[in-house]
Amino acid sequence: MLNRMLTIEIARVTEAAAIAAATMRGRGDEKQADQLAVDAMRTALNDIDMDGKVVIGEGERDEAPMLYIGEKVGTGTGPRIDIALDPLEGTTLCAKAMPDSLAVIAMAVGGSLLHAPDSYMSKIAIGPGYPEGTIDLDASPEDNLNALAKAKGVNTEHLTACVLDRPRHAELIAAIRATGAGVRLISDGDIAGVIHTTDPDNTGIDIYMGVGGAPEGVLAAAALRCIGGQMQARLVFHKATDRDRALKMGVEDPDAKFDMNEMASGDVMFAASGVTDGSMLAGVKFGRDHITTDTVVMRSATGTVRWIKNRRKVA
């Protein structure tokens, strides 16, 4: 079990990264925003009494600065902790000052998080309150939407699916719309897209579908483990070297269909801080003599969800 004091520490980590990234908000420089977030998150992690290891890093695919896979963080004393992170999820969103850019991290007891490579992942997710097995990654979009509509007690016309706005999703989008359901296209930030399924009354999103980043998939699974929902995923490889890398990282069956409990097992903590304003979290606010952050911290062992609005003085 994780020490509950990590609830505060994990919030400090994402707050630090969000504040650093927010100084570059709307300035069009994705790499600099990411670099500042990485540096701030690394510094905050190294202040925590833990034997931490980054098992899900960020940035390799975009040749951006990294908290690299295998990097040791923390003071080296304390429990062994697996860490999945994205110091700036939605770099483009931050650079353009668009909604839902976040700083995110998940922590779990060592050996509990899927060591997913920096490749792609096919995903489907819904929020809590539905019978287990309502969705299936291998079912058609029509079958999944019909099953969800039946479980929710509505027609498919009342459902909205969240999908990354990419050319690869043209057929998926057409199939969703053919059922009468709506599609919410997002330009970036599919961790937020998955989490939004947990509160459809406020976000308007009932289901997440499509192919996005594998590291983001593990982070989203960690969040759903804490807040509730269902998720299935499968790694997608465009090159043989990507498959080889997955095997070397310990993925026994690269073609396996993973559920969220296989991607993030045991006691898991998840935290996200808003960089830009979004439907889930407010972005960083810079006042004359203070900075305000908005953070959510979740824990799977207790099902606790804490919303933390922090105001700190500027020296």
Side-chain angles (χ1 to χ4, degrees):
M1 297 287 287
L2 298 173
N3 188 321
R4 65 180 180 179
M5 290 304 295
L6 281 174
T7 300
I8 299 300
E9 300 293 349
I10 197 174
R12 288 173 178 163
V13 169
T14 55
E15 287 169 1
I19 290 169
T23 63
M24 295 297 296
R25 195 168 48 200
R27 287 167 172 77
D29 192 338
E30 296 181 17
K31 287 192 175 182
Q32 180 63 10
D34 202 20
Q35 180 72 71
L36 292 174
V38 167
D39 292 344
M41 184 169 278
R42 177 181 283 118
T43 298
L45 283 169
N46 284 332
D47 284 339
I48 302 175
D49 286 331
M50 65 176 177
D51 179 14
K53 181 181 179 181
V54 177
V55 299
I56 295 290
E58 63 87 43
E60 291 179 335
R61 189 166 58 245
D62 299 323
E63 297 181 356
M66 292 182 293
L67 268 156
Y68 60 86
I69 295 171
E71 181 171 350
K72 303 289 286 185
V73 293
T75 62
T77 61
R80 185 168 69 92
I81 303 293
D82 274 0
I83 298 170
L85 51 81
D86 193 339
L88 182 56
E89 207 241 343
T91 53
T92 301
L93 300 178
C94 177
K96 295 182 177 180
M98 296 172 66
D100 287 323
S101 181
L102 305 170
V104 298
I105 191 169
M107 293 184 179
V109 175
S112 299
L113 298 178
L114 177 68
H115 292 201
D118 191 11
S119 61
Y120 289 92
M121 179 179 273
S122 180
K123 314 166 193 175
I124 186 169
I126 57 175
Y130 303 110
E132 192 65 32
T134 296
I135 55 170
D136 188 335
L137 186 67
D138 293 325
S140 67
E142 179 183 12
D143 287 346
N144 278 312
L145 288 165
N146 285 337
L148 179 59
K150 181 179 179 181
K152 191 172 183 178
V154 300
N155 295 323
T156 54
E157 289 83 357
H158 293 99
L159 298 179
T160 299
C162 181
V163 181
L164 274 172
D165 189 5
R166 300 289 188 272
R168 63 177 177 265
H169 289 144
E171 290 185 7
L172 171 63
I173 292 167
I176 294 169
R177 288 174 172 161
T179 70
V183 177
R184 174 85 62 83
L185 293 174
I186 56 174
S187 63
D188 205 350
D190 61 342
I191 297 174
V194 171
I195 296 174
H196 283 163
T197 66
T198 65
D199 189 15
D201 290 342
N202 288 316
T203 65
I205 293 173
D206 298 284
I207 186 170
Y208 179 91
M209 306 169 79
V211 176
E216 291 86 349
V218 175
L219 279 158
L224 284 187
R225 275 288 324 287
C226 298
I227 202 171
Q230 299 175 44
M231 181 176 179
Q232 293 181 351
R234 178 180 286 116
L235 295 170
V236 175
F237 305 109
H238 297 302
K239 297 181 295 183
T241 52
D242 291 338
R243 179 181 293 273
D244 292 340
R245 186 162 178 266
L247 290 167
K248 290 177 181 177
M249 292 178 65
V251 179
E252 295 181 1
D253 181 2
D255 298 314
K257 179 169 64 177
F258 299 101
D259 66 27
M260 66 180 185
N261 295 296
E262 292 169 314
M263 290 188 281
S265 60
D267 190 8
V268 179
M269 285 185 183
F270 175 89
S273 294
V275 177
T276 59
D277 286 339
S279 54
M280 181 174 64
L281 293 164
V284 177
K285 300 293 187 294
F286 294 100
R288 178 177 297 178
D289 58 358
H290 65 273
I291 300 172
T292 303
T293 54
D294 195 16
T295 300
V296 60
V297 181
M298 314 172 191
R299 186 178 181 186
S300 66
T302 58
T304 304
V305 179
R306 289 183 172 88
W307 300 89
I308 303 172
K309 186 172 287 292
N310 187 39
R311 175 169 168 159
R312 66 179 68 183
K313 289 186 177 180
V314 178

